[in-house]
């Protein structure tokens, strides 16, 4: 793929992630726990990690978070999202080469560590370790939503031809 094509492809993936993020922002917060979301935009992140590269996945994720905060969020949501995304992508990059771990397994780890990253930042900003108790809810939810995202991303990885074949 030529450089210009790769840039355009990344831009399309970023736009898709942003649209999914926006659609998800329209869904009310679940069970009164702030930040509890499905993570639909992470379908694009996992897909990008497998189809392009770790750097491209970082670009798509960071770009989506920054644009979403500017368009329909705020600085606080951006801080929490970036913290979760950094830890999540780092773990997914490290987990991806593990032979028996599928896109679903990688996505589960990403979902769980995204929540851990957000709670760590919340504990730091709020200056209380008491917030860590919310992990008892967020970790299982992160695993379930990570599995759902991973299944969808896995289907796309298998069914969408690589960018060189398009």
């Amino acid at each position: 793929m030529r450089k210009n094509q790769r840039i355009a492809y990344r831009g399309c993936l970023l736009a898709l992630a942003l649209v999914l993020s926006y659609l998800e922002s329209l869904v009310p917060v679940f069970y009164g726990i702030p930040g509890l979301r499905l993570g639909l935009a992470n379908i694009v992140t996992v897909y990008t990690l497998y189809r392009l590269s770790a750097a491209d996945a970082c670009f798509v994720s960071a770009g989506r978070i920054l644009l979403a905060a500017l368009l329909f969020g705020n600085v606080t949501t951006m801080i929490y999202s970036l913290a979760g995304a950094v830890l999540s992508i780092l773990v997914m990059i490290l987990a991806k080469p593990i032979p028996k771990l599928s896109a679903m397994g990688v996505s589960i780890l990403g979902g769980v560590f995204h929540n851990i990253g957000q709670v760590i930042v919340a504990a730091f900003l709020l200056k209380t370790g008491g917030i860590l108790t919310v992990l008892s809810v967020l970790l299982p939810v992160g695993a379930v939503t990570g599995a759902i995202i991973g299944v969808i991303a896995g289907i796309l990885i298998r069914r969408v031809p690589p960018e060189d074949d398009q």
Side-chain angles (χ1 to χ4, degrees):
M1 177 181 290
R2 291 190 321 244
K3 183 178 179 182
N4 290 346
Q5 288 174 317
R6 187 175 190 91
I7 291 169
Y9 194 62
R10 284 174 33 175
C12 289
L13 291 170
L14 173 57
L16 179 59
L18 186 60
V19 167
L20 290 173
S21 185
Y22 175 70
L23 291 175
E24 189 171 40
S25 75
L26 299 176
V27 177
V29 175
F30 296 104
Y31 306 113
I33 298 174
L36 190 60
R37 300 277 185 212
L38 293 173
L40 295 176
N42 291 320
I43 294 168
V44 181
T45 303
V46 174
Y47 174 84
T48 305
L49 179 62
Y50 276 83
R51 280 293 188 205
L52 295 178
S53 70
D56 291 322
C58 291
F59 167 81
V60 167
S61 183
R64 188 245 333 148
I65 290 167
L66 293 172
L67 288 172
L70 288 171
L71 294 172
F72 43 86
N74 56 51
V75 174
T76 304
T77 58
M78 182 180 67
I79 291 169
Y80 287 118
S81 294
L82 281 173
V86 166
L87 190 55
S88 172
I89 287 182
L90 177 63
V91 168
M92 289 194 297
I93 289 168
L94 294 172
K96 182 183 169 234
I98 298 172
K100 299 224 182 222
L101 206 54
S102 67
M104 183 177 75
V106 169
S107 179
I108 289 170
L109 288 171
V112 167
F113 278 90
H114 191 282
N115 289 335
I116 291 171
Q118 287 184 326
V119 171
I120 288 171
V121 167
F124 176 76
L125 292 177
L126 300 174
K127 296 179 178 39
T128 177
I131 192 80
L132 297 175
T133 59
V134 78
L135 285 174
S136 64
V137 173
L138 291 179
L139 294 182
V141 170
V144 170
T145 58
I148 294 166
I149 297 308
V151 166
I152 296 168
I155 291 168
L156 292 172
I157 291 163
R158 285 189 304 277
R159 294 195 177 175
V160 175
E163 66 282 352
D164 293 334
D165 297 344
Q166 296 178 11

